[in-house]
Amino acid sequence: VSHCWNEPFANFVSTLERLPSDLVIWVCSFAIPQNLDIGRILSVSLQASPFARALVEADRVLMVMDNNVEPLRRSWCCYEVYLAITRKMQVDIRTPVVSTQLY
């Protein structure tokens, strides 16, 4: 799951709840202790980071979009989409609520 943590957590959960119940997802904040020095983990190389390693093992990438479309303005989210596209992976974009104004 690629997303920006600026969206309300309830919206994030709402988006995930609309996915098939048997779908397995990887959410970085639940997989990597957030009290670690993330800068130290990422300083080795972006490709060796836990985020990138998990992403390249996935079948597809789900980008959770907020009402401000902020993930598309966040470097890390754009990097995740870049990795997916260069590996010819499916990229799904989902929102917590269908909004014609969002697009």
Side-chain angles (χ1 to χ4, degrees):
V1 176
S2 180
H3 68 106
C4 169
W5 275 114
N6 284 343
E7 84 267 27
F9 187 69
N11 289 359
F12 179 71
V13 171
S14 172
T15 303
L16 298 182
E17 286 177 336
R18 292 192 351 252
L19 298 172
S21 61
D22 61 342
L23 185 66
V24 177
I25 62 170
W26 188 86
V27 178
C28 64
S29 61
F30 301 134
I32 297 173
Q34 298 299 295
N35 60 347
L36 292 179
D37 180 2
I38 299 296
R40 187 178 53 108
I41 293 172
L42 297 177
S43 67
V44 177
S45 81
L46 289 179
Q47 289 100 353
S49 72
F51 308 97
R53 289 193 342 248
L55 188 140
V56 299
E57 293 297 323
D59 296 327
R60 63 184 178 176
V61 172
L62 169 68
M63 178 173 272
V64 175
M65 198 60 64
D66 62 5
N67 289 334
N68 297 318
V69 195
E70 191 169 351
L72 295 179
R73 295 190 308 268
R74 301 294 289 253
S75 297
W76 192 261
C77 294
C78 290
Y79 177 65
E80 291 171 331
V81 171
Y82 164 79
L83 286 178
I85 290 171
T86 58
R87 285 169 175 71
K88 298 184 181 2
M89 298 168 69
Q90 179 178 335
V91 177
D92 293 326
I93 298 176
R94 301 286 178 103
T95 61
V97 202
V98 176
S99 169
T100 55
Q101 292 178 339
L102 184 62
Y103 300 100

